[in-house]
């Protein structure tokens, strides 16, 4: 069994749908992302780029298989970040400093007040939206885990020779 172009096409579609949903929730729905939310978007962007390369430039199934494996790695990393974010939301882990306050470089009280008023802080440890008790980080953990497992399963099956 070899990895055909349908696997990179499916990865492209899934990644574009998930990243598009995140961007729509931000720009259409007004749901401002925290720093960890932004980090969770990068693996999907990487998978989009890799799958586009596989669809347009790679002819050999082995090369497409390598791209699917890299996408699986990207999704696994995204899942780890989503797990960390979920842990921050649940109080299991401390969040990064960027999720608690903006950098302050004011030299006067008036500058400080302007900076504080102009810099909205989106906290990583607060859940701004959930469905059935599952936050967006939780949904991303599920999606990333399933996508990573799917990619690795495809690569494992493509390495088997027919009997």
């Amino acid at each position: 069994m070899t990895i055909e172009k349908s696997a990179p096409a499916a990865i492209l579609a899934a990644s574009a749908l998930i990243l598009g949903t995140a961007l729509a929730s931000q720009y259409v729905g007004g749901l401002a992302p925290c720093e960890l939310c932004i980090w969770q978007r990068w693996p999907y962007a990487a998978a989009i780029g890799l799958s586009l390369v596989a669809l347009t430039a790679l002819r050999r199934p082995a090369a497409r298989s390598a791209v699917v494996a890299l996408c699986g790695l990207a999704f696994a990393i995204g899942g780890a970040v989503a797990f960390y974010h979920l842990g921050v939301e649940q109080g299991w882990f401390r969040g990064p400093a960027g999720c608690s306050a903006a950098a302050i470089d004011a030299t006067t009280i008036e500058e400080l007040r302007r900076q504080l008023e102009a810099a909205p802080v989106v906290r990583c440890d607060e859940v701004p939206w959930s469905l059935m008790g599952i936050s967006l980080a939780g949904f991303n953990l599920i999606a990333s885990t399933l996508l990573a497992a799917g990619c690795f399963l495809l690569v494992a099956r493509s390495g088997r020779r027919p009997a």
Side-chain angles (χ1 to χ4, degrees), residues 63-106:
R64 283 195 299 269
S65 188
V67 167
V68 171
L70 286 173
C71 288
L73 180 61
F75 293 136
I77 291 168
V81 174
F83 178 76
Y84 173 62
H85 191 183
L86 182 64
V88 170
E89 290 174 345
Q90 297 300 316
W92 305 334
F93 313 119
R94 283 188 62 193
C99 285
S100 57
I104 303 294
D105 61 353

Side-chain angles (χ1 to χ4, degrees), residues 31 86 89 127-140 142:
L31 192 60
L86 182 64
E89 290 174 345
V127 178
W129 184 91
S130 67
L131 179 64
M132 298 181 299
I134 303 172
S135 69
L136 289 172
F139 281 112
N140 188 41
I142 294 166

Side-chain angles (χ1 to χ4, degrees), residues 1-162:
M1 179 179 182
T2 62
I3 292 183
E4 301 300 327
K5 285 194 172 189
S6 60
I11 291 169
L12 174 62
S15 297
L17 177 67
I18 292 168
L19 186 56
T21 300
L23 292 170
S25 71
Q26 177 181 350
Y27 293 108
V28 176
L31 192 60
C34 70
E35 183 177 352
L36 291 176
C37 292
I38 299 296
W39 291 0
Q40 290 173 84
R41 295 176 183 183
W42 284 107
Y44 294 109
I48 288 170
L50 288 167
S51 59
L52 284 172
V53 168
L55 286 169
T56 59
L58 301 178
R59 305 268 185 259
R60 294 183 15 239
R64 283 195 299 269
S65 188
V67 167
V68 171
L70 286 173
C71 288
L73 180 61
F75 293 136
I77 291 168
V81 174
F83 178 76
Y84 173 62
H85 191 183
L86 182 64
V88 170
E89 290 174 345
Q90 297 300 316
W92 305 334
F93 313 119
R94 283 188 62 193
C99 285
S100 57
I104 303 294
D105 61 353
T107 56
T108 67
I109 298 291
E110 192 59 37
E111 285 179 20
L112 176 62
R113 186 167 43 119
R114 275 196 302 270
Q115 284 183 11
L116 289 174
E117 290 172 355
V121 175
V122 180
R123 296 178 53 110
C124 296
D125 58 355
E126 293 177 356
V127 178
W129 184 91
S130 67
L131 179 64
M132 298 181 299
I134 303 172
S135 69
L136 289 172
F139 281 112
N140 188 41
L141 174 59
I142 294 166
S144 294
T145 302
L146 290 173
L147 287 167
C151 287
F152 294 141
L153 182 64
L154 278 172
V155 171
R157 284 187 177 177
S158 73
R160 293 185 190 154
R161 300 283 181 227

